[in-house]
Amino acid sequence: MESIQVSLQGKNSQALPKGISAKAAIEQLNGAVPPEVFAVKANGVEIDLLASLETDSTLQPLMFDSPEGKEIYRHSSTHIMAQAVKECFPTAQLTIGPAIEGGFFYDFAFERPFTPEDLEKIEARALDIIKRNLSVSRREFSKEEAIEFFKSRGEPYKVELIQGFPDGEPVSAYTQGDFVDLCRGPHLPATGYVKAFKLLNSAGAYWRGDERNPMLQRLYGTSFPSAEALQAHLDNLEEIKRRDHRKLGKDLDLFSIQDETGPGLILWHPKGAQIRLLIENFWREQHLANQYELVYSPHVARLDLWKTSGHVDFYKENMFTPMPVESSEYQLKPMNCPFHIMVYKTHLRSYRDLPIRYGELGTVYRYERSGVLHGLMRVRGFTQDDAHLFCRPDQLGEEVQKVLKFITSMLGTFGFTEFKMFLSTRPEKAVGTIDQWDQATLALETALKDGGYAYQEDPGEGVFYGPKIDVKIQDALGRSWQCSTVQIDFNNPERFGLTYVGEDGKTHQPIMIHRALLGSIERFFGILLEHFGGAFPAWLAPVQVMVLPISEKHQGYAQEVEKNLRREGCRVVLDLRNEKIGLKIREAEKAKVPFMIVVGDREAEAQMVAVRQRNGKNLGTMSIIDIVTLIREDMPEAVKKGSLLFE
RNA sequence: GCUGGCGUAGCUCAAUCGGUAGAGCAGCGGUUUUGUAAACCGCAGGUCGGAGGUUCAAUUCCUCUCGCCAGCUCCA
């Protein structure tokens, strides 16, 4: 009998008969297959546990704890859900059903949306399929056979998918009981491997993600290897709901969005505005310290400006409708760039002047389709922490490098230290020559590499005028948010005829960098709100200290304490209401005020204050100076000093 | 924009199988003078998202419309 060399993660290599199953091979090498192993990677390729090995193989068992393992587990789970749907509703047609972050979904073509009762029924059936512990087997077809097979089963969407596959390559399908689904695999060996399964919700989705295609019914679910893990996941979803910035924004009275005002337009209430002001002040301070110059620009401008910039051609569907003014048309600004360009153009610039860095907290208005608006995260009017750098080609690399440092230190100050960087390249709809694009992309790539940043490529995701680097941050709940962006632009300098005089006395064209650190103040504020769950650190808290007198006779001393704290620059509120101390504390806790000061006879006598933190911790009695120091120490270094963030 | 769900007091939520609505909290007025997460009593508060229709009668049924939520698509 022919034999092959098989090893387990590179160790215990043994000669085993060719064609042995991965499972049997592991049994030979390891004695037994641990029950939590449900698939393997053979020479880096994921295969079924029961797949046969035909060549020398290095095996790596796959379990739920690896990303690949999770995907297989969830993929099998979605097959179970699909089987349940087919059993409950035989006329539902299968389309696609992948594993996603945190679970899986499956899209069905069905004559009506699934109701909550349907979901219960489907979930019960899925649990039954798991209980039945059906074995899952792989089968390969030729493309033609597969088409015939799925035609005969009344699955036109599957047929359409297969028709798009390359000719001549085998098509695989997986069977569990009476259920057969087109699938690349691998899968769990049997349905019973799924230990905890939950159907989450249903929603509409377009076939192949195109709104011109039929609407399908999408079911979302998740699965885990234990009931505890599933519960932990559900608890996490609850926590995300609790931290929803829309809920916190209302509870903490930070902002509102009202029907009468218009969807996607934010009203900043005093406390929210206070936090925003702190963010903005810090932002301005840092920009001035880092040799940016701050400018202001109007909210509307002649439409012609946007024709020159190319926005009318490339961005029209996201712009508000222009308004007629006298004999010309004006446009609510969707971008700040043209204004900064116009400031640049007011002088003849020398190569010695460059780089020129114009920064602005510029409010822009974009028409977003009604269905996409979402609290502060996606709005129709928002303020970009925008800047445009005009530089010489030889300065490009260094400028991008500096911006990347600025990004990481700025975001770091707000408590975000996990970054993911993405390099986006030329999209289909683009301006400029391929040569310019290559040059700009190379500059970004070099800056990323020189700075030692890990990054991922995002092909075709650049802006129409140039490639970009996007930075995503991770919040306290592990979710990713895009904030910063750095974009190179050769196009606008050309469109607007920007120049500088070089050392050679001749005219040259500067390169522009568009960049934002926080992205949009509204969105960033929403992210911060969810990140901290509303409990802002003291340096950002709208109210840092509540002074709570025990009874009316302590009001005088409380007022004195309040005045002293205010004099020291603290944001302090005095609660003089005729209420018990327990209620005042409860309400200060609910408002997530970092420090509470209780004053009664003892404190007035000693000229001290009793300090309590919002987490319930009692810090005991201290002097006013002590509490002021406590608050100051809580500030990040950069905020304390108001000095350079980098260099 | 599309599919589905939902709009009742400032907030969180009830109720009415068609006969114009109720609670807690918040607010206001009292009483109480309080020691680390809710004192007590009382008062007031609503064109039941908006417009039309059906009906003797609509918050309830129908149509349209606006907004919100989930998802799709898009995105800072």
Side-chain angles (χ1 to χ4, degrees):
Chain A
M1 197 195 287
E2 257 189 277
S3 67
I4 52 171
Q5 283 293 324
V6 183
S7 66
L8 205 51
Q9 286 165 318
K11 289 177 283 187
N12 320 326
S13 186
Q14 272 188 37
L16 295 171
K18 187 176 168 186
I20 189 171
S21 75
K23 186 180 177 204
I26 295 172
E27 278 165 357
Q28 287 291 322
L29 296 167
N30 193 43
V33 181
E36 61 272 21
V37 171
F38 47 71
V40 292
K41 247 187 182 174
N43 301 328
V45 180
E46 294 157 38
I47 59 168
D48 293 316
L49 198 55
L50 292 172
S52 48
L53 304 173
E54 303 297 336
T55 57
D56 292 349
S57 303
T58 296
L59 302 182
Q60 184 198 339
L62 286 177
M63 296 174 284
F64 189 81
D65 61 1
S66 67
E68 300 94 326
K70 266 194 189 70
E71 173 151 0
I72 294 165
Y73 198 87
R74 262 67 182 269
H75 201 160
S76 290
S77 305
T78 202
H79 276 209
I80 292 168
M81 179 168 72
Q83 182 178 5
V85 168
K86 289 294 279 188
E87 288 184 7
C88 296
F89 306 97
T91 58
Q93 293 168 343
L94 302 173
T95 71
I96 56 157
I100 52 171
E101 179 76 35
F104 52 83
F105 69 77
Y106 209 112
D107 287 346
F108 303 91
F110 193 46
E111 63 260 25
R112 60 173 177 82
F114 292 113
T115 64
E117 294 73 46
D118 293 340
L119 297 196
E120 276 175 38
K121 206 168 138 191
I122 295 165
E123 185 176 80
R125 185 59 73 106
L127 293 173
D128 182 59
I129 291 165
I130 290 167
K131 209 163 131 196
R132 279 187 257 160
N133 197 18
L134 303 169
S135 58
V136 179
S137 61
R138 181 187 173 94
R139 179 172 163 194
E140 290 193 0
F141 299 86
S142 71
K143 187 173 163 179
E144 293 69 31
E145 282 169 345
I147 290 172
E148 274 318 303
F149 179 77
F150 282 101
K151 256 187 194 160
S152 73
R153 289 183 69 95
E155 300 289 0
Y157 288 90
K158 290 292 178 189
V159 173
E160 192 184 324
L161 286 172
I162 300 164
Q163 279 163 344
F165 289 176
D167 290 323
E169 283 180 29
V171 175
S172 61
Y174 280 77
T175 304
Q176 55 202 43
D178 298 331
F179 177 79
V180 186
D181 197 1
L182 169 74
C183 190
R184 191 184 302 123
H187 276 282
L188 302 177
T191 57
Y193 274 75
V194 175
K195 300 300 177 196
F197 177 99
K198 180 135 185 82
L199 231 161
L200 295 172
N201 56 320
S202 64
Y206 302 104
W207 169 236
R208 299 195 148 164
D210 190 323
E211 64 187 24
R212 288 162 303 195
N213 284 340
M215 177 71 71
L216 306 172
Q217 304 305 325
R218 175 171 296 182
L219 294 180
Y220 286 90
T222 191
S223 61
F224 284 89
S226 72
E228 295 72 38
L230 172 64
Q231 194 52 51
H233 181 255
L234 296 178
D235 290 346
N236 190 250
L237 292 181
E238 273 306 305
E239 180 62 21
I240 287 172
K241 249 190 224 166
R242 258 196 301 279
R243 287 186 184 224
D244 190 311
H245 71 280
R246 293 166 298 185
K247 180 178 157 45
L248 290 172
K250 192 185 267 182
D251 290 350
L252 302 174
D253 194 16
L254 303 176
F255 67 91
S256 63
I257 305 166
Q258 299 176 39
D259 199 358
E260 290 89 331
T261 325
L265 301 171
I266 311 303
L267 296 172
W268 292 79
H269 298 197
K271 283 181 185 156
Q274 170 68 75
I275 300 168
R276 174 173 173 166
L277 190 66
L278 290 160
I279 297 170
E280 291 187 352
N281 285 346
F282 175 65
W283 187 93
R284 291 201 175 95
E285 224 166 66
Q286 293 306 319
H287 279 72
L288 293 173
N290 286 300
Q291 294 170 286
Y292 280 68
E293 297 172 287
L294 301 183
V295 298
Y296 291 95
S297 61
H299 290 216
V300 287
R302 282 189 201 278
L303 183 62
D304 291 357
L305 189 66
W306 309 104
K307 286 182 182 160
T308 307
S309 70
H311 286 107
V312 172
D313 288 340
F314 287 89
Y315 208 71
K316 201 178 175 185
E317 65 280 7
N318 278 304
M319 285 158 57
F320 274 85
T321 312
M323 52 190 138
V325 177
E326 292 171 343
S327 58
S328 56
E329 288 196 293
Y330 278 72
Q331 174 68 48
L332 214 42
K333 75 165 159 178
M335 305 271 181
N336 301 303
C337 3
F339 297 104
H340 297 182
I341 291 172
M342 296 313 286
V343 175
Y344 179 93
K345 278 188 77 171
T346 55
H347 291 284
L348 191 57
R349 306 288 178 177
S350 152
Y351 72 97
R352 296 172 200 274
D353 298 332
L354 304 185
I356 287 175
R357 310 184 187 95
Y358 291 147
E360 177 179 10
L361 291 163
T363 304
V364 296
Y365 299 89
R366 299 183 184 176
Y367 169 70
E368 297 288 352
R369 301 207 286 177
S370 55
V372 308
L373 298 174
H374 179 88
L376 295 174
M377 303 305 193
R378 192 79 180 274
V379 296
R380 286 190 175 150
F382 62 99
T383 303
Q384 292 182 307
D385 68 313
D386 214 353
H388 294 93
L389 322 193
F390 302 87
C391 65
R392 307 189 304 256
D394 64 287
Q395 295 171 322
L396 187 57
E398 195 192 337
E399 284 306 305
V400 173
Q401 191 73 253
K402 278 187 180 174
V403 170
L404 290 177
K405 277 190 200 161
F406 205 173
I407 287 170
T408 52
S409 48
M410 172 70 70
L411 294 174
T413 304
F414 288 98
F416 300 106
T417 48
E418 295 288 319
F419 305 101
K420 278 188 210 149
M421 305 216 177
F422 297 84
L423 176 62
S424 302
T425 56
R426 191 175 184 280
E428 259 177 58
K429 234 177 130 185
V431 292
T433 64
I434 296 289
D435 196 48
Q436 286 177 325
W437 275 86
D438 288 346
Q439 201 185 331
T441 308
L442 184 69
L444 291 177
E445 228 177 320
T446 309
L448 282 167
K449 283 180 183 154
D450 289 354
Y453 302 104
Y455 69 96
Q456 225 172 292
E457 276 208 32
D458 237 344
E461 292 299 312
V463 199
F464 69 85
Y465 49 69
K468 62 171 179 173
I469 295 171
D470 284 333
V471 182
K472 289 187 183 175
I473 54 174
Q474 219 174 62
D475 72 10
L477 297 177
R479 298 169 300 173
S480 284
W481 300 98
Q482 203 215 304
C483 293
S484 324
T485 185
V486 190
Q487 306 170 354
I488 296 188
D489 183 0
F490 287 91
N491 189 249
N492 271 300
E494 198 172 310
R495 283 171 176 271
F496 283 92
L498 299 189
T499 59
Y500 66 89
V501 180
E503 205 172 355
D504 56 5
K506 291 184 184 137
T507 295
H508 299 268
Q509 195 171 86
I511 300 168
M512 247 177 105
I513 300 171
H514 307 241
R515 49 109 281 194
L517 309 182
L518 309 177
S520 130
I521 300 291
E522 285 74 4
R523 180 193 178 81
F524 186 72
F525 182 80
I527 295 166
L528 266 187
L529 189 48
E530 298 200 356
H531 178 65
F532 292 120
F536 287 95
W539 76 278
L540 285 171
V543 177
Q544 298 173 307
V545 193
M546 288 285 297
V547 178
L548 315 174
I550 301 271
S551 80
E552 247 167 47
K553 66 178 172 182
H554 309 112
Q555 286 190 357
Y557 180 61
Q559 276 164 332
E560 205 180 299
V561 168
E562 188 248 8
K563 211 162 93 187
N564 284 332
L565 286 169
R566 192 177 300 288
R567 210 176 274 147
E568 292 296 327
C570 294
R571 295 186 292 279
V572 54
V573 171
L574 179 56
D575 187 350
L576 286 181
R577 292 176 307 165
N578 174 13
E579 296 290 354
K580 293 176 89 164
I581 194 69
L583 182 99
K584 292 180 181 179
I585 283 172
R586 180 185 150 79
E587 294 193 351
E589 289 270 356
K590 275 172 63 183
K592 302 189 193 288
V593 176
F595 297 101
M596 283 152 253
I597 283 179
V598 177
V599 290
D601 288 335
R602 297 199 290 270
E603 290 75 21
E605 175 88 12
Q607 292 291 297
M608 302 281 265
V609 292
V611 180
R612 181 192 202 278
Q613 283 180 307
R614 71 183 149 206
N615 58 15
K617 199 172 163 199
N618 202 328
L619 298 182
T621 307
M622 60 179 81
S623 69
I624 301 257
I625 294 306
D626 290 339
I627 174 77
V628 170
T629 308
L630 212 57
I631 293 168
R632 288 212 181 123
E633 273 173 3
D634 181 72
M635 286 185 184
E637 285 306 308
V639 183
K640 242 188 257 180
K641 291 185 192 150
S643 65
L644 284 188
L645 264 175
F646 58 85
E647 282 176 9

